Amino acid sequence: MARIFRAVIMGPPGSGKGTISERIARTFGLQHLSSGDFLRENIDARTEAGKLAKTYIKKGLLVPDHVMTRLLLPRLEEIARHSWLLDGFPRTLAQAQVLNSACDLDVVISLNVPFETLKERLRHRWIHPASGRVYNLVFNPPRVKGVDDITGEPLIQHEDDKAEALVARLRHYKDVAKPVIDLYKSKGILHTFSDTDTDHIWPHISSMLSVKITAPTPSAQSTPTH
Ligand code: G5P
Ligand code: MG
């Protein structure tokens, strides 16, 4: 890749950020940094930030901005020489402003998936905690119910995918994301993709990134929702 490329992927819980980020990382060689995975690593390692974050995540609430920025910005500095894709950060206007003062973004991808689709997907999501492998009982089920395909170990559900936390997460997302989306729209770097199906969205994202990543300078144009 000729130059450093920096992208953000936004979207409500379950909109496919993680699934699409894996495809982007594999296809375009961007380093994928998921704020949710990073928080869960901190929770497992019982760091101070992890212990604090757990109390919010369990309730389906956002972790406070100062905790997030203090965790994420040093990670971004570590990978500053690579092209990267941030998944799940920034979530709030305050986080977006801090990121803005740290670096310039080339592209922001916003996933727009209907509420009912999201609820249905997350209800069926199971995780292998040791590896982070994600299954969906409908979309990509494990070969044996409740068991990881590779290790045979039990699968679990995230605390925040359980019904009560889930509805709170979805409601909250809309309110806090709006000013962030408006900010990136005004900068001309927002690309919104609307569909119920990740496999339909992916080819559009892939072709947009193919153009942007090979472009000599960041374009100031925004593509319309397909
Ligand atoms: P996370 O971990 O960032 P969320 O809530 O943003 O969590 P999540 O749950 O990780 O989002 P996703 O990455 O958008 O969802 O979606 P995914 O995992 O790829 O797909 C969801 C499921 O649907 C999977 O089972 C997948 O296989 C399936 N799927 C994908 N595509 C399709 C499809 O086309 N069809 C079907 N049928 N299924 C499909 O954050 C967790 C918590 O951490 C805190 C917050 O408390 C947050 O709730 N947090 C932050 N707090 C403050 N600021 C930040 N920046 C924070 N970042 C995280
Ligand atoms: Mg995710």
Side-chain angles (χ1 to χ4, degrees):
M1 212 177 292
R3 64 183 175 85
I4 305 275
F5 189 84
R6 300 187 187 95
V8 159
I9 185 162
M10 303 179 57
S15 56
K17 297 186 295 298
T19 308
I20 289 170
S21 293
E22 273 175 31
R23 294 184 191 185
I24 293 175
R26 207 177 327 122
T27 310
F28 297 100
L30 268 61
Q31 202 143 332
H32 171 208
L33 184 59
S34 152
S35 58
D37 289 350
F38 197 51
L39 286 171
R40 284 185 283 276
E41 282 165 28
N42 274 271
I43 292 171
D44 291 345
R46 297 196 165 83
T47 65
E48 282 312 307
K51 284 182 208 161
L52 181 63
K54 190 175 179 180
T55 62
Y56 290 89
I57 293 176
K58 272 179 82 167
K59 294 183 204 145
L61 297 173
L62 289 182
V63 176
D65 290 331
H66 69 278
V67 179
M68 291 310 302
T69 49
R70 214 184 303 145
L71 269 177
L72 263 294
L73 288 189
R75 255 319 265 139
L76 287 182
E77 273 171 33
E78 280 169 32
I79 58 169
R81 291 176 178 281
H82 296 267
S83 290
W84 48 247
L85 170 68
L86 258 179
D87 155 9
F89 181 95
R91 279 274 215 297
T92 65
L93 188 58
Q95 292 176 15
Q97 284 162 342
V98 171
L99 184 62
N100 209 16
S101 55
C103 64
D104 286 327
L105 296 173
D106 294 282
V107 156
V108 175
I109 295 165
S110 171
L111 303 177
N112 187 15
V113 176
F115 189 84
E116 282 309 315
T117 309
L118 299 174
K119 267 196 349 198
E120 200 51 26
R121 275 188 200 173
L122 292 180
R123 217 162 53 81
H124 293 297
R125 178 162 67 168
W126 288 79
I127 313 278
H128 176 240
S131 67
R133 269 185 288 282
V134 178
Y135 296 90
N136 181 287
L137 298 187
V138 183
F139 186 60
N140 61 332
R143 281 197 287 272
V144 179
K145 198 177 172 198
V147 173
D148 180 45
D149 286 351
I150 312 285
T151 63
E153 289 168 354
L155 302 176
I156 58 140
Q157 260 196 313
H158 282 322
E159 282 296 324
D160 55 356
D161 280 350
K162 293 179 184 165
E164 324 75 70
L166 187 57
V167 175
R169 282 163 79 200
L170 291 175
R171 282 221 191 91
H172 201 195
Y173 176 82
K174 265 201 169 163
D175 299 339
V176 292
K178 171 106 179 35
V180 183
I181 286 173
D182 290 346
L183 172 74
Y184 291 135
K185 200 185 281 176
S186 74
K187 284 176 169 290
I189 55 173
L190 184 77
H191 299 260
T192 302
F193 300 88
S194 308
D195 207 293
T196 54
D197 194 334
T198 293
D199 288 341
H200 292 162
I201 287 177
W202 168 241
H204 296 276
I205 293 182
S206 178
S207 26
M208 181 275 290
L209 285 176
S210 300
V211 173
K212 295 283 174 190
I213 286 176
T214 51
T217 51
S219 158
Q221 288 198 335
S222 176
T223 50
T225 302
H226 78 272

